[in-house]
Amino acid sequence: MADINAGQLSRSPNRRFFVESKQVAIAVTLIVFMLAAILFSYISYRRQISVAETVANEFSRVIESDLHYNENFSDAVSVLYLRLKSSRYQLGDVGQEYDKQHRIYGINLFADQTNNAFMGTLQSDESLTRDKLLLARAVDLAMRIESRNSHYSHISRRYFLSKQDDFIYITTKVPLSEYVFKASRGRGYGLFSHIETRGYLYQKLHDDPGARFGELSPVYLDSLSGDPVITVQHVVFDQSQGMKDKVLGSLCFDYQREDLLAIARSLEINQQDNFLNIYLLDKESRTELGVLGVDNWGKKVRSAINDRYEVIVSIDPLRYYLASTGRSDLLILVLLSLCFLGLGLIYDRILRVQRRNSLIDPLTGLYNRAWLEKYDTRSGLRARTIVMLDCNDFKTINDTWGHQMGDMALKHVAKSIVHRIQPNRDYAVRMGGDEFLITFSQGGSEAVEACMRRIAHDIGLFSAEVPFSVSYGVCELTPGMTLSEAMSRADSRMYQIKKRARI
């Protein structure tokens, strides 16, 4: 209490106005910083959405473009097959082989036995016919002239599947036993005989033989790798005379995750893959094929490939801010947050000082009546003895020496009290005018009376020219007595002492 009171003795209205003005200025600055942080957070959010939209649109554009390239590829196979068939093309010596274990015919049975006649591997339930070999040759020729712009031109998982489901031509040289086309009862082999997808392409082809444009299959598990796969298929027609619109089979390409990842890298998305989440959604079956990222939470941006499939891109804000792309955003947000926090702490400090000052008498630095009203609610501040103190003939000092001298006298009273009482245990309150209240934590009237005699002596030393004295009344609180009752008794005793002093 002594330290607090001593710091309050020289307060002035100008000082209070300065504090209040500073408080308003900091409050306004806090609001400005908060609005700036919100605005920049929104700008950063829109920047992330813009990145996600660009990636989603580019990704869907490339896949859609690949669908058209594959359609053109199937058209080229149809034309080349017609030319080869009508020109009596000589196939030469084709080394047909037979796999006794799986009972299938084919070429390029072993990877180290290169068959120069074809680029890939052909498998068939029956002995290879000229038409099957011509179709395989047409696929080979189309591969040679295909546009280099296709992102899957050099990927091995492209193949031709006949309409009758009796042969398959894979466009790369592989051991015949690696891709076993024929299904065995009770067991699945190869690409198309997985238990969950057996007969899908064949059934699809027969259900919609007039399909002309690119089709994407549902996401299914590849029987070899166990990875999710999406199959792109295009119908190949026989354009021979009298055979118009006869379906020969379907050209297919399998999109696996690594194929989609290659597309992402070709778009330089790999530079941002530490915060991007990319996946393809099959809207019909609600299945997903993940490309990049580990989760799909956050704001999602969608870009349709066709009626069934769409690319969905989301950005993980945490990983975005930790990446180099978003590090500058993070730095600005951190600086704004630190400024906001710092100003908030300063503002809180000013408010606490102002609240404390509202409980302090500006002239004497002692507590005021507002503080006394909260006294009973403060834990650990229970008084045991109450003293009411009043200045004798204070009006005479004001009338004779002026109010400035009166203020000096009141300050002298406050200093005298603070000097004698125990800090943080005993408290002094200016009740108003020249009346003061002192609460003592110790009981016993003798100790308090001794302290008050010293205080009264110190007050009497105010000035040799100005006679100045005080009167006081003491009341020790007893069990059940309220503070108001004690103050009333102490006040009554003080006036009795003051009255006797006048006689």
Side-chain angles (χ1 to χ4, degrees), residues 1-2 371 375 380-384 421-428 439-443:
M1 177 65 194
W371 179 89
Y375 182 84
L381 299 182
R382 300 295 179 181
R384 297 185 63 184
I421 65 178
Q422 295 293 323
N424 301 320
R425 292 178 58 190
D426 304 334
Y427 299 91
T439 68
F440 289 91
S441 60
Q442 63 190 23

Side-chain angles (χ1 to χ4, degrees), residues 345-361:
L345 293 175
I346 295 173
Y347 184 71
D348 180 68
R349 171 77 174 175
I350 291 176
L351 285 180
R352 283 190 283 111
V353 170
Q354 189 177 43
R355 283 194 296 269
R356 187 185 67 182
N357 292 344
S358 68
L359 306 176
I360 300 296
D361 175 57

Side-chain angles (χ1 to χ4, degrees), residues 380-398:
L381 299 182
R382 300 295 179 181
R384 297 185 63 184
T385 305
I386 296 296
V387 175
M388 294 297 296
L389 182 146
D390 189 78
C391 299
N392 297 326
D393 299 323
F394 186 72
K395 185 175 182 302
T396 303
I397 296 177
N398 282 332

